[in-house]
Amino acid sequence: ISDGDSLRSGKLRIRLFGIDAPEKKQKCTNKDGRQWDCGIAAQKALKQLVESVPKISCNLMDVDRYSRLVMRCYAGETDVAAVLVREGLALAYRQYSSLYIRDENAAKMTKAGMWGGSFTKPWTWRRTR
């Protein structure tokens, strides 16, 4: 698990389809104004999901410009990306898919994860680095 939306299987580099998680070094701010490691939290959540089952299954959706396999992955019947978005540890990547918008709206309503305070969208955070 390289970060909250990327993993490896042997030599294969996999990017989860339709979501964007905060980068490992990215921080978010909670409602009290304290910073927390939202990128590390996303990475840990993905690791837990993957380790919760003997093996994950993935469907190839695309190949990105970095030659990563863009896949929709499941831990058993559970869509891994949907869980990360619902927990507020990843955003629906609307530029590429509308699949996880409903999950993101649920996270916003419950103020889950990043939605409990303030954060910079991962794609914006990367551009400023």
Side-chain angles (χ1 to χ4, degrees):
I1 310 294
S2 13
D3 60 26
D5 54 28
S6 307
L7 50 144
R8 286 178 187 265
S9 178
K11 289 192 185 310
L12 299 178
R13 294 183 319 135
I14 299 168
R15 172 79 160 78
L16 293 176
F17 173 77
I19 69 166
D20 198 10
E23 298 299 319
K24 264 198 309 203
K25 292 183 175 169
Q26 192 171 342
K27 307 249 190 244
C28 296
T29 306
N30 68 17
K31 65 178 174 19
D32 302 323
R34 278 200 290 275
Q35 287 201 327
W36 61 285
D37 295 317
C38 52
I40 298 290
Q43 181 186 24
K44 284 181 178 170
L46 178 55
K47 187 175 191 288
Q48 276 185 319
L49 281 162
V50 168
E51 290 176 350
S52 71
V53 291
K55 67 177 189 177
I56 63 168
S57 59
C58 298
N59 301 327
L60 183 64
M61 306 296 280
D62 200 1
V63 177
D64 72 10
R65 64 182 181 200
Y66 305 109
S67 301
R68 294 178 299 190
L69 304 176
V70 180
M71 304 183 101
R72 213 169 155 188
C73 295
Y74 299 86
E77 301 289 310
T78 305
D79 182 329
V80 170
V83 171
L84 293 168
V85 173
R86 272 197 310 271
E87 289 180 355
L89 295 172
L91 302 179
Y93 214 164
R94 288 170 164 82
Q95 182 180 340
Y96 299 102
S97 170
S98 59
L99 199 58
Y100 300 107
I101 292 173
R102 198 177 268 152
D103 298 296
E104 185 179 286
N105 289 338
K108 276 185 204 173
M109 285 176 58
T110 61
K111 296 195 179 332
M114 299 184 294
W115 298 105
S118 62
F119 62 92
T120 303
K121 291 180 172 145
W123 49 88
T124 304
W125 191 88
R126 280 192 301 274
R127 270 201 311 267
T128 64
R129 297 291 174 280

